Amino acid sequence: MLCPLCGEGETKVVETRLAEDGKALRRRRECLRCRHRFTTYERIHGGPLVVRKKDGRREPFQPDKLRRGITTACEKRQVPTDAIEKAVRNIEEFFLAQGRREVSSREIGEKALEWLRQTDDIAFIRFASVYLDFEDLNRFRQEIDELMKSKSR
Ligand SMILES: [Zn+2]
Protein backbone atom coordinates (compact mmCIF):
# COMPACT_ATOMS: atom_id res chain seq x y z
CA MET A 1 0.00 0.00 0.00
CA LEU A 2 1.48 3.32 -1.08
CA CYS A 3 1.40 6.49 0.97
CA PRO A 4 -1.19 8.95 -0.44
CA LEU A 5 0.93 11.91 0.60
CA CYS A 6 4.40 11.18 -0.73
CA GLY A 7 3.26 8.43 -3.06
CA GLU A 8 6.35 6.34 -2.49
CA GLY A 9 6.67 5.21 1.07
CA GLU A 10 6.01 1.72 2.28
CA THR A 11 3.43 1.75 5.03
CA LYS A 12 3.06 -0.19 8.20
CA VAL A 13 -0.20 -1.03 9.94
CA VAL A 14 -0.46 0.74 13.27
CA GLU A 15 -3.89 -0.50 14.29
CA THR A 16 -6.58 -2.81 12.92
CA ARG A 17 -10.22 -2.67 13.90
CA LEU A 18 -13.38 -4.28 12.66
CA ALA A 19 -15.78 -1.92 10.92
CA GLU A 20 -19.22 -2.14 9.35
CA ASP A 21 -20.38 -4.92 11.65
CA GLY A 22 -17.41 -7.11 10.88
CA LYS A 23 -17.65 -6.72 7.11
CA ALA A 24 -14.59 -4.54 6.79
CA LEU A 25 -11.23 -3.93 8.41
CA ARG A 26 -10.37 -0.38 9.30
CA ARG A 27 -6.62 0.05 9.37
CA ARG A 28 -4.52 2.94 10.58
CA ARG A 29 -1.36 3.00 8.53
CA GLU A 30 1.79 4.99 8.81
CA CYS A 31 4.14 5.84 5.98
CA LEU A 32 7.66 4.64 6.79
CA ARG A 33 9.12 7.46 4.73
CA CYS A 34 7.23 10.63 5.64
CA ARG A 35 5.38 9.35 8.76
CA HIS A 36 2.04 10.44 7.32
CA ARG A 37 -0.82 8.52 8.94
CA PHE A 38 -3.96 7.55 7.09
CA THR A 39 -6.88 5.14 7.33
CA THR A 40 -7.87 2.42 4.89
CA TYR A 41 -10.96 0.26 4.71
CA GLU A 42 -10.70 -3.25 3.37
CA ARG A 43 -13.79 -5.21 2.64
CA ILE A 44 -13.75 -8.71 4.03
CA HIS A 45 -15.01 -11.03 1.36
CA GLY A 46 -17.33 -13.89 2.16
CA GLY A 47 -18.36 -12.64 5.58
CA PRO A 48 -16.57 -12.56 8.88
CA LEU A 49 -14.50 -15.14 10.67
CA VAL A 50 -15.30 -18.84 10.25
CA VAL A 51 -14.87 -21.23 13.16
CA ARG A 52 -13.82 -24.83 12.60
CA LYS A 53 -15.27 -26.97 15.32
CA LYS A 54 -13.80 -30.11 16.85
CA ASP A 55 -16.00 -32.35 14.73
CA GLY A 56 -14.78 -30.58 11.60
CA ARG A 57 -17.95 -28.60 10.96
CA ARG A 58 -17.65 -24.92 10.20
CA GLU A 59 -19.83 -22.08 11.35
CA PRO A 60 -19.58 -18.29 11.32
CA PHE A 61 -17.90 -16.86 14.40
CA GLN A 62 -20.67 -15.98 16.86
CA PRO A 63 -19.59 -13.28 19.31
CA ASP A 64 -22.74 -13.95 21.38
CA LYS A 65 -21.76 -17.51 21.96
CA LEU A 66 -18.25 -16.59 23.15
CA ARG A 67 -19.67 -13.78 25.27
CA ARG A 68 -22.10 -16.23 26.91
CA GLY A 69 -19.32 -18.69 27.67
CA ILE A 70 -17.12 -16.03 29.24
CA THR A 71 -20.04 -14.44 31.10
CA THR A 72 -21.01 -17.78 32.62
CA ALA A 73 -17.44 -18.30 33.79
CA CYS A 74 -17.44 -14.81 35.29
CA GLU A 75 -20.67 -15.29 37.24
CA LYS A 76 -20.54 -13.57 40.64
CA ARG A 77 -17.00 -12.37 39.93
CA GLN A 78 -15.99 -8.73 39.68
CA VAL A 79 -15.61 -8.66 35.92
CA PRO A 80 -17.41 -5.75 34.25
CA THR A 81 -19.73 -6.57 31.36
CA ASP A 82 -18.05 -4.08 29.08
CA ALA A 83 -14.67 -5.66 29.77
CA ILE A 84 -16.07 -8.99 28.56
CA GLU A 85 -17.57 -7.25 25.55
CA LYS A 86 -14.21 -5.72 24.73
CA ALA A 87 -12.41 -9.03 25.17
CA VAL A 88 -14.77 -10.73 22.71
CA ARG A 89 -14.14 -7.99 20.15
CA ASN A 90 -10.39 -8.17 20.72
CA ILE A 91 -10.34 -11.91 20.19
CA GLU A 92 -12.17 -11.64 16.88
CA GLU A 93 -10.02 -8.72 15.78
CA PHE A 94 -6.85 -10.53 16.78
CA PHE A 95 -7.45 -13.23 14.18
CA LEU A 96 -8.81 -10.93 11.48
CA ALA A 97 -5.86 -8.60 11.93
CA GLN A 98 -3.59 -11.55 11.17
CA GLY A 99 -5.46 -12.05 7.92
CA ARG A 100 -7.02 -15.24 9.25
CA ARG A 101 -10.40 -16.16 7.86
CA GLU A 102 -10.75 -19.48 9.57
CA VAL A 103 -9.78 -20.46 13.10
CA SER A 104 -10.43 -23.51 15.21
CA SER A 105 -12.75 -23.32 18.20
CA ARG A 106 -9.72 -24.35 20.23
CA GLU A 107 -7.73 -21.28 19.17
CA ILE A 108 -10.63 -19.07 20.18
CA GLY A 109 -10.94 -20.83 23.50
CA GLU A 110 -7.24 -20.38 24.13
CA LYS A 111 -7.42 -16.67 23.44
CA ALA A 112 -10.33 -16.42 25.86
CA LEU A 113 -8.34 -18.37 28.45
CA GLU A 114 -5.37 -16.09 27.94
CA TRP A 115 -7.54 -13.10 28.72
CA LEU A 116 -9.30 -14.72 31.70
CA ARG A 117 -5.96 -15.78 33.11
CA GLN A 118 -4.99 -12.10 33.43
CA THR A 119 -8.46 -11.04 34.54
CA ASP A 120 -9.86 -13.41 37.13
CA ASP A 121 -8.41 -16.66 38.50
CA ILE A 122 -11.73 -18.29 39.34
CA ALA A 123 -13.33 -17.41 36.00
CA PHE A 124 -10.20 -18.72 34.28
CA ILE A 125 -10.46 -22.07 36.03
CA ARG A 126 -14.22 -22.31 35.41
CA PHE A 127 -13.88 -21.54 31.72
CA ALA A 128 -11.00 -23.97 31.32
CA SER A 129 -12.84 -26.81 33.02
CA VAL A 130 -15.82 -26.40 30.70
CA TYR A 131 -13.88 -25.69 27.60
CA LEU A 132 -10.88 -27.99 27.67
CA ASP A 133 -10.89 -31.54 26.42
CA PHE A 134 -9.70 -34.40 28.50
CA GLU A 135 -6.43 -34.43 26.53
CA ASP A 136 -5.80 -30.84 27.55
CA LEU A 137 -6.29 -31.47 31.24
CA ASN A 138 -2.67 -32.28 31.95
CA ARG A 139 -1.56 -29.10 30.28
CA PHE A 140 -4.21 -27.25 32.23
CA ARG A 141 -2.98 -28.70 35.49
CA GLN A 142 0.45 -27.27 34.67
CA GLU A 143 -1.18 -23.90 34.01
CA ILE A 144 -2.81 -23.96 37.42
CA ASP A 145 0.43 -24.94 39.08
CA GLU A 146 2.13 -21.99 37.42
CA LEU A 147 -0.69 -19.72 38.41
CA MET A 148 -0.47 -20.79 42.04
CA LYS A 149 3.28 -20.41 41.98
CA SER A 150 3.03 -16.87 40.66
CA LYS A 151 0.46 -16.03 43.35
CA SER A 152 2.59 -17.30 46.19
CA ARG A 153 5.62 -15.42 44.96
ZN1 LIG B 1 4.66 9.10 2.79
Side-chain angles (χ1 to χ4, degrees):
M1 178 104 22
L2 292 179
C3 168
L5 197 66
C6 71
E8 281 180 42
E10 285 284 311
T11 59
K12 72 170 179 185
V13 175
V14 186
E15 184 192 63
T16 300
R17 298 238 157 248
L18 281 179
E20 299 172 32
D21 288 330
K23 295 189 185 70
L25 291 177
R26 175 188 176 278
R27 291 196 151 123
R28 286 293 287 166
R29 293 174 180 273
E30 184 183 297
C31 174
L32 295 178
R33 188 168 173 239
C34 72
R35 301 283 161 212
H36 175 58
R37 285 197 171 196
F38 59 104
T39 302
T40 57
Y41 285 89
E42 292 160 42
R43 302 294 297 177
I44 299 170
H45 297 287
L49 206 59
V50 172
V51 179
R52 193 176 57 255
K53 305 206 291 182
K54 279 175 196 134
D55 60 10
R57 280 186 298 143
R58 288 171 169 79
E59 61 177 30
F61 173 71
Q62 293 165 39
D64 288 347
K65 217 167 147 178
L66 180 60
R67 188 185 306 115
R68 268 201 305 277
I70 296 178
T71 303
T72 305
C74 291
E75 206 181 23
K76 297 197 177 112
R77 304 295 302 168
Q78 305 290 329
V79 183
T81 313
D82 54 343
I84 297 176
E85 189 64 38
K86 198 171 163 220
V88 170
R89 273 188 87 81
N90 284 345
I91 289 170
E92 185 178 20
E93 283 170 5
F94 170 81
F95 291 112
L96 287 172
Q98 288 182 328
R100 300 280 302 276
R101 301 306 321 288
E102 187 178 299
V103 293
S104 63
S105 50
R106 183 196 198 111
E107 287 175 291
I108 289 186
E110 276 172 7
K111 287 306 284 183
L113 276 176
E114 201 179 296
W115 178 73
L116 283 168
R117 189 177 205 268
Q118 294 155 6
T119 306
D120 189 280
D121 294 351
I122 300 296
F124 166 72
I125 291 168
R126 282 183 189 155
F127 189 86
S129 64
V130 171
Y131 165 76
L132 291 178
D133 280 338
F134 189 67
E135 56 180 297
D136 293 319
L137 282 179
N138 275 332
R139 202 164 53 85
F140 179 52
R141 205 166 291 140
Q142 287 167 8
E143 285 260 339
I144 298 216
D145 287 347
E146 272 171 43
L147 194 69
M148 295 308 164
K149 244 182 273 166
S150 68
K151 295 285 155 186
S152 61
R153 231 171 257 148

Coordinates of all heavy atoms in Angstrom, one line a residue, residues 25-94:
L25 N -12.3 -4.2 7.5 CA -11.2 -3.9 8.4 C -10.8 -2.5 8.2 O -10.6 -2.0 7.1 CB -10.0 -4.8 8.1 CG -10.1 -6.3 8.4 CD1 -8.8 -7.0 8.0 CD2 -10.4 -6.5 9.9
R26 N -10.8 -1.8 9.3 CA -10.4 -0.4 9.3 C -8.9 -0.4 9.8 O -8.7 -0.8 10.9 CB -11.3 0.5 10.2 CG -10.9 1.9 10.4 CD -11.7 2.5 11.4 NE -11.3 3.9 11.7 CZ -10.3 4.3 12.5 NH1 -9.6 3.4 13.1 NH2 -10.0 5.5 12.6
R27 N -8.0 0.1 9.0 CA -6.6 0.1 9.4 C -6.0 1.4 9.4 O -6.2 2.2 8.5 CB -5.8 -0.8 8.4 CG -6.1 -2.3 8.5 CD -5.1 -3.1 7.8 NE -5.0 -4.4 8.5 CZ -5.1 -5.5 7.8 NH1 -5.3 -5.6 6.6 NH2 -5.1 -6.7 8.5
R28 N -5.3 1.7 10.5 CA -4.5 2.9 10.6 C -3.1 2.6 10.1 O -2.5 1.6 10.5 CB -4.4 3.4 12.0 CG -5.6 4.1 12.6 CD -6.0 5.4 11.9 NE -5.1 6.5 12.2 CZ -5.0 7.6 11.5 NH1 -5.8 7.8 10.5 NH2 -4.2 8.6 11.9
R29 N -2.7 3.3 9.1 CA -1.4 3.0 8.5 C -0.4 4.2 8.7 O -0.9 5.3 8.7 CB -1.5 2.7 7.0 CG -2.2 1.4 6.8 CD -2.5 1.2 5.3 NE -3.2 0.0 5.0 CZ -2.6 -1.2 4.9 NH1 -1.3 -1.3 4.9 NH2 -3.3 -2.3 4.6
E30 N 0.8 3.9 8.7 CA 1.8 5.0 8.8 C 2.8 4.8 7.7 O 3.4 3.7 7.5 CB 2.5 5.0 10.2 CG 3.4 6.2 10.4 CD 4.1 6.1 11.7 OE1 3.5 6.2 12.8 OE2 5.4 6.0 11.7
C31 N 3.1 5.9 7.0 CA 4.1 5.8 6.0 C 5.5 5.8 6.6 O 5.9 6.5 7.5 CB 4.1 7.1 5.1 SG 5.4 7.2 3.9
L32 N 6.3 4.8 6.2 CA 7.7 4.6 6.8 C 8.6 5.7 6.3 O 9.7 6.0 6.9 CB 8.2 3.3 6.4 CG 7.5 2.1 7.0 CD1 8.1 0.8 6.6 CD2 7.4 2.1 8.5
R33 N 8.2 6.4 5.3 CA 9.1 7.5 4.7 C 8.8 8.8 5.3 O 9.7 9.5 5.9 CB 9.0 7.5 3.2 CG 9.9 8.4 2.5 CD 9.9 8.1 1.0 NE 10.7 9.0 0.3 CZ 10.2 9.8 -0.7 NH1 8.9 9.8 -1.0 NH2 11.0 10.7 -1.3
C34 N 7.5 9.3 5.2 CA 7.2 10.6 5.6 C 6.4 10.6 6.9 O 6.1 11.7 7.5 CB 6.5 11.4 4.6 SG 4.8 10.9 4.3
R35 N 6.1 9.5 7.5 CA 5.4 9.4 8.8 C 3.9 9.8 8.7 O 3.3 9.9 9.7 CB 6.1 10.2 9.9 CG 7.5 9.7 10.2 CD 7.5 8.5 11.0 NE 8.9 7.8 10.8 CZ 9.1 6.5 10.9 NH1 8.0 5.7 11.0 NH2 10.3 6.0 10.8
H36 N 3.4 10.1 7.5 CA 2.0 10.4 7.3 C 1.2 9.3 7.7 O 1.4 8.1 7.4 CB 1.8 10.8 5.8 CG 0.3 11.1 5.5 ND1 -0.4 12.0 6.2 CD2 -0.5 10.5 4.7 CE1 -1.6 12.0 5.7 NE2 -1.7 11.1 4.8
R37 N 0.1 9.6 8.5 CA -0.8 8.5 8.9 C -2.1 8.6 8.2 O -2.7 9.7 8.0 CB -1.1 8.6 10.4 CG 0.1 8.1 11.2 CD -0.3 7.8 12.7 NE 0.8 7.2 13.4 CZ 0.7 6.5 14.5 NH1 -0.5 6.4 15.1 NH2 1.7 5.9 15.1
F38 N -2.7 7.5 7.8 CA -4.0 7.5 7.1 C -4.7 6.3 7.4 O -4.2 5.3 7.9 CB -3.8 7.8 5.6 CG -2.9 6.7 4.9 CD1 -3.5 5.7 4.1 CD2 -1.6 6.7 5.0 CE1 -2.8 4.8 3.5 CE2 -0.8 5.7 4.4 CZ -1.4 4.8 3.6
T39 N -6.0 6.3 7.0 CA -6.9 5.1 7.3 C -7.3 4.5 6.0 O -7.7 5.1 5.1 CB -8.1 5.6 8.1 OG1 -7.7 6.3 9.3 CG2 -9.0 4.5 8.5
T40 N -7.3 3.1 6.0 CA -7.9 2.4 4.9 C -9.0 1.5 5.4 O -9.0 1.0 6.5 CB -6.8 1.6 4.2 OG1 -6.2 0.7 5.2 CG2 -5.7 2.4 3.6
Y41 N -9.9 1.2 4.5 CA -11.0 0.3 4.7 C -10.8 -0.9 3.7 O -10.7 -0.7 2.5 CB -12.3 0.9 4.5 CG -12.7 1.8 5.7 CD1 -12.4 3.1 5.7 CD2 -13.4 1.3 6.8 CE1 -12.7 3.9 6.7 CE2 -13.8 2.1 7.9 CZ -13.4 3.4 7.8 OH -13.8 4.2 8.9
E42 N -10.8 -2.1 4.3 CA -10.7 -3.3 3.4 C -11.9 -4.1 3.6 O -12.2 -4.5 4.7 CB -9.4 -4.1 3.7 CG -8.2 -3.3 3.3 CD -6.9 -3.9 4.0 OE1 -6.8 -5.1 4.1 OE2 -6.1 -3.1 4.5
R43 N -12.6 -4.3 2.5 CA -13.8 -5.2 2.6 C -13.3 -6.6 2.9 O -12.4 -7.1 2.3 CB -14.6 -5.2 1.3 CG -15.1 -3.8 0.9 CD -16.1 -3.3 1.9 NE -17.3 -4.1 1.9 CZ -18.3 -3.8 2.7 NH1 -18.3 -2.9 3.6 NH2 -19.4 -4.6 2.7
I44 N -14.0 -7.3 3.8 CA -13.7 -8.7 4.0 C -14.7 -9.5 3.1 O -15.9 -9.3 3.2 CB -14.0 -9.1 5.5 CG1 -13.1 -8.3 6.4 CG2 -13.8 -10.6 5.7 CD1 -13.4 -8.4 7.9
H45 N -14.1 -10.3 2.3 CA -15.0 -11.0 1.4 C -15.5 -12.3 2.0 O -14.8 -13.0 2.7 CB -14.3 -11.3 0.1 CG -13.9 -10.0 -0.6 ND1 -14.8 -9.2 -1.3 CD2 -12.7 -9.4 -0.7 CE1 -14.2 -8.2 -1.8 NE2 -12.9 -8.2 -1.4
G46 N -16.8 -12.6 1.7 CA -17.3 -13.9 2.2 C -17.7 -13.9 3.6 O -17.8 -15.0 4.2
G47 N -17.9 -12.7 4.2 CA -18.4 -12.6 5.6 C -17.2 -12.7 6.6 O -16.1 -12.8 6.2
P48 N -17.6 -12.6 7.8 CA -16.6 -12.6 8.9 C -15.9 -13.9 9.2 O -16.0 -14.8 8.4 CB -17.3 -12.0 10.1 CG -18.8 -12.4 9.8 CD -18.9 -12.5 8.3
L49 N -15.3 -14.0 10.3 CA -14.5 -15.1 10.7 C -15.3 -16.4 10.7 O -16.4 -16.5 11.1 CB -14.0 -14.9 12.1 CG -12.7 -15.5 12.6 CD1 -11.5 -15.1 11.7 CD2 -12.4 -15.0 14.0
V50 N -14.7 -17.5 10.2 CA -15.3 -18.8 10.3 C -14.6 -19.7 11.3 O -13.4 -19.7 11.4 CB -15.2 -19.5 8.9 CG1 -15.7 -21.0 8.9 CG2 -16.0 -18.7 7.8
V51 N -15.4 -20.4 12.1 CA -14.9 -21.2 13.2 C -15.0 -22.7 12.8 O -16.0 -23.2 12.4 CB -15.6 -21.0 14.5 CG1 -15.1 -21.9 15.6 CG2 -15.5 -19.5 14.9
R52 N -13.8 -23.4 12.9 CA -13.8 -24.8 12.6 C -14.0 -25.5 13.9 O -13.1 -25.4 14.8 CB -12.5 -25.2 11.9 CG -12.5 -26.6 11.3 CD -11.2 -26.9 10.6 NE -10.0 -26.7 11.4 CZ -9.2 -25.6 11.4 NH1 -9.4 -24.6 10.6 NH2 -8.2 -25.6 12.3
K53 N -15.0 -26.3 14.0 CA -15.3 -27.0 15.3 C -14.5 -28.3 15.4 O -13.9 -28.8 14.4 CB -16.8 -27.2 15.5 CG -17.5 -25.8 15.4 CD -18.8 -25.8 16.1 CE -19.8 -26.7 15.5 NZ -21.1 -26.6 16.2
K54 N -14.6 -28.9 16.6 CA -13.8 -30.1 16.9 C -14.2 -31.2 15.9 O -13.4 -32.1 15.5 CB -13.9 -30.5 18.3 CG -13.0 -29.7 19.2 CD -13.2 -30.1 20.7 CE -12.6 -29.0 21.6 NZ -13.4 -28.6 22.7
D55 N -15.5 -31.3 15.6 CA -16.0 -32.4 14.7 C -15.8 -32.0 13.3 O -16.2 -32.8 12.4 CB -17.5 -32.7 15.0 CG -18.3 -31.4 14.8 OD1 -17.9 -30.4 14.2 OD2 -19.5 -31.5 15.2
G56 N -15.1 -30.9 13.0 CA -14.8 -30.6 11.6 C -15.8 -29.7 10.9 O -15.5 -29.1 9.9
R57 N -17.0 -29.5 11.6 CA -18.0 -28.6 11.0 C -17.5 -27.2 11.1 O -16.7 -26.8 12.0 CB -19.3 -28.8 11.6 CG -20.0 -30.0 11.1 CD -21.4 -30.1 11.7 NE -21.4 -30.2 13.1 CZ -22.2 -29.6 14.0 NH1 -23.2 -28.9 13.5 NH2 -22.1 -29.8 15.3
R58 N -18.0 -26.3 10.2 CA -17.6 -24.9 10.2 C -18.9 -24.1 10.4 O -20.0 -24.4 9.9 CB -17.0 -24.5 8.9 CG -15.6 -25.1 8.7 CD -15.1 -24.9 7.3 NE -13.7 -25.2 7.2 CZ -13.2 -26.4 7.1 NH1 -14.0 -27.4 7.1 NH2 -11.9 -26.6 7.0
E59 N -18.7 -23.0 11.2 CA -19.8 -22.1 11.4 C -19.3 -20.7 11.5 O -18.1 -20.5 11.8 CB -20.6 -22.4 12.6 CG -19.8 -22.4 13.9 CD -20.7 -22.7 15.1 OE1 -21.6 -23.4 15.0 OE2 -20.3 -22.1 16.2
P60 N -20.1 -19.7 11.2 CA -19.6 -18.3 11.3 C -19.3 -18.0 12.8 O -20.0 -18.6 13.7 CB -20.8 -17.4 10.9 CG -21.7 -18.3 10.2 CD -21.5 -19.7 10.7
F61 N -18.2 -17.2 13.0 CA -17.9 -16.9 14.4 C -19.1 -16.1 15.0 O -19.6 -15.2 14.4 CB -16.7 -15.9 14.4 CG -16.4 -15.4 15.8 CD1 -15.9 -16.2 16.8 CD2 -16.6 -14.0 16.0 CE1 -15.6 -15.7 18.0 CE2 -16.3 -13.5 17.3 CZ -15.8 -14.3 18.3
Q62 N -19.5 -16.6 16.2 CA -20.7 -16.0 16.9 C -20.2 -15.3 18.2 O -20.0 -16.0 19.2 CB -21.7 -17.0 17.1 CG -22.4 -17.6 15.9 CD -23.2 -18.8 16.1 OE1 -23.8 -19.0 17.1 NE2 -23.1 -19.8 15.2
P63 N -20.1 -14.0 18.1 CA -19.6 -13.3 19.3 C -20.5 -13.6 20.5 O -20.0 -13.7 21.6 CB -19.7 -11.8 18.9 CG -19.7 -11.8 17.4 CD -20.3 -13.1 17.0
D64 N -21.8 -13.7 20.3 CA -22.7 -13.9 21.4 C -22.4 -15.2 22.1 O -22.5 -15.3 23.4 CB -24.2 -14.0 20.9 CG -24.7 -12.7 20.4 OD1 -24.1 -11.7 20.7 OD2 -25.7 -12.7 19.8
K65 N -22.1 -16.2 21.4 CA -21.8 -17.5 22.0 C -20.5 -17.4 22.9 O -20.5 -17.9 24.0 CB -21.5 -18.5 20.8 CG -22.0 -19.9 21.1 CD -21.9 -20.7 19.7 CE -21.6 -22.1 20.0 NZ -21.6 -22.9 18.7
L66 N -19.5 -16.8 22.4 CA -18.3 -16.6 23.1 C -18.5 -15.7 24.4 O -18.1 -16.0 25.5 CB -17.2 -16.0 22.3 CG -15.8 -15.7 23.0 CD1 -15.2 -17.0 23.5 CD2 -14.9 -15.0 22.0
R67 N -19.3 -14.7 24.2 CA -19.7 -13.8 25.3 C -20.4 -14.6 26.4 O -20.1 -14.4 27.5 CB -20.5 -12.6 24.8 CG -20.8 -11.5 25.8 CD -21.7 -10.5 25.4 NE -21.3 -9.9 24.1 CZ -21.9 -10.0 22.9 NH1 -23.1 -10.6 22.9 NH2 -21.5 -9.4 21.8
R68 N -21.3 -15.4 25.9 CA -22.1 -16.2 26.9 C -21.2 -17.1 27.7 O -21.3 -17.2 28.9 CB -23.2 -17.1 26.2 CG -24.5 -16.4 26.1 CD -25.6 -17.5 25.9 NE -25.4 -18.3 24.7 CZ -25.7 -18.0 23.5 NH1 -26.2 -16.8 23.2 NH2 -25.4 -18.8 22.5
G69 N -20.3 -17.8 27.0 CA -19.3 -18.7 27.7 C -18.5 -18.0 28.7 O -18.3 -18.4 29.8
I70 N -18.0 -16.8 28.3 CA -17.1 -16.0 29.2 C -18.0 -15.5 30.4 O -17.5 -15.5 31.6 CB -16.4 -14.9 28.5 CG1 -15.4 -15.5 27.5 CG2 -15.7 -14.0 29.5 CD1 -14.7 -14.4 26.6
T71 N -19.2 -15.0 30.1 CA -20.0 -14.4 31.1 C -20.4 -15.5 32.2 O -20.4 -15.2 33.4 CB -21.3 -13.9 30.5 OG1 -21.0 -12.9 29.5 CG2 -22.2 -13.2 31.5
T72 N -20.7 -16.7 31.7 CA -21.0 -17.8 32.6 C -19.8 -18.0 33.6 O -20.0 -18.2 34.8 CB -21.3 -19.1 31.8 OG1 -22.4 -18.8 30.9 CG2 -21.8 -20.2 32.8
A73 N -18.6 -18.1 33.0 CA -17.4 -18.3 33.8 C -17.2 -17.2 34.8 O -16.6 -17.4 35.9 CB -16.2 -18.5 32.9
C74 N -17.7 -16.0 34.4 CA -17.4 -14.8 35.3 C -18.6 -14.6 36.3 O -18.6 -13.5 37.0 CB -17.2 -13.6 34.4 SG -15.7 -13.6 33.5
E75 N -19.5 -15.5 36.4 CA -20.7 -15.3 37.2 C -20.2 -15.0 38.7 O -19.4 -15.7 39.2 CB -21.5 -16.5 37.2 CG -23.0 -16.2 37.5 CD -23.8 -17.5 37.5 OE1 -23.3 -18.6 37.6 OE2 -25.0 -17.4 37.3
K76 N -20.8 -14.0 39.3 CA -20.5 -13.6 40.6 C -19.1 -13.2 40.9 O -18.6 -13.2 42.0 CB -20.9 -14.6 41.6 CG -22.4 -14.9 41.6 CD -22.9 -15.7 42.8 CE -24.4 -15.9 42.9 NZ -24.8 -17.3 42.7
R77 N -18.4 -12.9 39.8 CA -17.0 -12.4 39.9 C -17.0 -10.9 39.6 O -18.0 -10.4 38.9 CB -16.0 -13.1 39.0 CG -16.0 -14.6 39.2 CD -15.5 -15.0 40.6 NE -14.2 -14.5 40.8 CZ -13.6 -14.6 42.0 NH1 -14.3 -15.0 43.1 NH2 -12.4 -14.1 42.2
Q78 N -16.0 -10.2 39.9 CA -16.0 -8.7 39.7 C -15.4 -8.4 38.3 O -14.4 -7.8 38.2 CB -15.2 -8.0 40.7 CG -15.6 -8.3 42.2 CD -16.9 -7.6 42.5 OE1 -17.3 -6.6 42.0 NE2 -17.7 -8.3 43.4
V79 N -16.1 -9.0 37.3 CA -15.6 -8.7 35.9 C -16.7 -7.9 35.2 O -17.8 -8.3 35.0 CB -15.3 -10.0 35.1 CG1 -14.8 -9.6 33.8 CG2 -14.3 -10.8 35.9
P80 N -16.4 -6.6 34.9 CA -17.4 -5.7 34.3 C -17.9 -6.3 32.9 O -17.1 -6.8 32.1 CB -16.7 -4.4 34.1 CG -15.4 -4.5 34.9 CD -15.1 -5.9 35.0
T81 N -19.2 -6.1 32.6 CA -19.7 -6.6 31.4 C -19.0 -6.0 30.1 O -18.8 -6.7 29.2 CB -21.2 -6.2 31.3 OG1 -21.8 -6.5 32.5 CG2 -21.9 -6.9 30.1
D82 N -18.7 -4.7 30.2 CA -18.0 -4.1 29.1 C -16.6 -4.6 28.9 O -16.1 -4.5 27.8 CB -18.1 -2.5 29.1 CG -17.6 -2.0 30.4 OD1 -17.4 -2.7 31.4 OD2 -17.3 -0.8 30.4
A83 N -16.0 -5.1 29.9 CA -14.7 -5.7 29.8 C -14.8 -7.0 29.0 O -13.9 -7.3 28.1 CB -14.0 -5.9 31.1
I84 N -15.8 -7.7 29.3 CA -16.1 -9.0 28.6 C -16.4 -8.7 27.1 O -15.8 -9.3 26.2 CB -17.3 -9.8 29.2 CG1 -16.9 -10.2 30.6 CG2 -17.6 -11.0 28.4 CD1 -18.0 -10.8 31.4
E85 N -17.2 -7.7 26.9 CA -17.6 -7.2 25.6 C -16.3 -6.9 24.7 O -16.1 -7.3 23.6 CB -18.5 -6.0 25.7 CG -19.1 -5.5 24.4 CD -20.1 -6.6 23.8 OE1 -20.8 -7.3 24.6 OE2 -20.1 -6.8 22.6
K86 N -15.4 -6.2 25.4 CA -14.2 -5.7 24.7 C -13.3 -6.9 24.4 O -12.7 -7.0 23.4 CB -13.5 -4.7 25.6 CG -12.5 -3.9 24.9 CD -11.9 -2.7 25.8 CE -10.7 -2.2 25.2 NZ -9.6 -1.9 26.2
A87 N -13.2 -7.8 25.4 CA -12.4 -9.0 25.2 C -12.9 -9.8 24.0 O -12.1 -10.3 23.2 CB -12.4 -9.9 26.4
V88 N -14.2 -10.0 23.8 CA -14.8 -10.7 22.7 C -14.4 -10.1 21.4 O -14.0 -10.7 20.4 CB -16.3 -10.9 22.8 CG1 -16.9 -11.4 21.6 CG2 -16.7 -11.7 24.0
R89 N -14.5 -8.7 21.4 CA -14.1 -8.0 20.1 C -12.6 -8.2 19.8 O -12.2 -8.4 18.7 CB -14.4 -6.5 20.3 CG -15.8 -6.1 20.0 CD -15.9 -4.6 20.0 NE -15.5 -3.9 18.8 CZ -16.3 -3.9 17.7 NH1 -17.6 -4.3 17.8 NH2 -16.0 -3.3 16.6
N90 N -11.8 -8.1 20.9 CA -10.4 -8.2 20.7 C -10.0 -9.5 20.2 O -9.1 -9.6 19.4 CB -9.7 -7.9 22.0 CG -9.6 -6.4 22.4 OD1 -9.9 -5.6 21.6 ND2 -9.4 -6.1 23.6
I91 N -10.7 -10.6 20.6 CA -10.3 -11.9 20.2 C -10.6 -12.0 18.7 O -9.8 -12.5 17.9 CB -11.1 -13.0 21.0 CG1 -10.5 -13.0 22.4 CG2 -11.0 -14.3 20.4 CD1 -11.3 -13.8 23.4
E92 N -11.8 -11.6 18.3 CA -12.2 -11.6 16.9 C -11.2 -10.8 16.0 O -10.7 -11.2 15.0 CB -13.6 -11.1 16.7 CG -14.1 -11.3 15.3 CD -15.5 -10.8 15.1 OE1 -16.0 -10.0 15.9 OE2 -16.2 -11.2 14.1
E93 N -10.9 -9.6 16.5 CA -10.0 -8.7 15.8 C -8.6 -9.3 15.7 O -7.9 -9.1 14.7 CB -10.0 -7.3 16.4 CG -11.3 -6.6 16.1 CD -11.4 -5.3 16.9 OE1 -10.5 -4.9 17.6 OE2 -12.5 -4.6 16.7
F94 N -8.2 -10.0 16.8 CA -6.8 -10.5 16.8 C -6.6 -11.4 15.6 O -5.6 -11.3 14.9 CB -6.6 -11.3 18.1 CG -5.4 -12.1 18.1 CD1 -4.2 -11.5 18.4 CD2 -5.4 -13.5 17.8 CE1 -3.0 -12.3 18.4 CE2 -4.3 -14.3 17.8 CZ -3.0 -13.7 18.1

